[in-house]
Amino acid sequence: MSDLDAIREDFESCNDPLLKKQMAFQLARQQIQIETEDVELSECLNNMHLSQYFHLMAHELDVMEPKTPEDTFQ
């Protein structure tokens, strides 16, 4: 993953917006900086709302409240 030109080319060639957003999160995790005009992708690339996304995901998975083993294995 050291070829930044190839990474940028793959990122920019992606047409699926959800896949591109996932790629942005992965690039941010690896601390690879790519400039983009899309504000939402820029926020993903800079991890600006990462904790908010984790809270949304936890809420969707219904894991916000601690569960007992009995609750889990019903």
Side-chain angles (χ1 to χ4, degrees):
M1 288 210 50
S2 61
D3 188 0
L4 293 177
D5 292 330
I7 294 170
R8 185 176 292 109
E9 180 182 332
D10 288 341
F11 182 75
E12 292 173 356
S13 69
C14 180
N15 294 325
D16 182 4
L18 292 177
L19 181 59
K20 200 166 193 175
K21 194 171 187 180
Q22 289 177 345
M23 290 171 68
F25 281 120
Q26 292 174 346
L27 291 172
R29 178 71 178 133
Q30 297 299 318
Q31 298 179 351
I32 298 174
Q33 299 296 318
I34 292 180
E35 297 294 323
T36 181
E37 298 294 323
D38 188 333
V39 174
E40 186 177 12
L41 284 177
S42 290
E43 290 174 352
C44 294
L45 285 164
N46 293 321
N47 284 331
M48 291 180 70
H49 301 291
L50 192 59
S51 62
Q52 179 184 3
Y53 288 126
F54 275 120
H55 279 117
L56 287 171
M57 183 178 72
H59 182 69
E60 287 183 18
L61 295 174
D62 193 28
V63 293
M64 293 297 287
E65 298 294 324
K67 304 220 182 325
T68 63
E70 292 82 21
D71 293 337
T72 306
F73 297 110
Q74 287 184 356

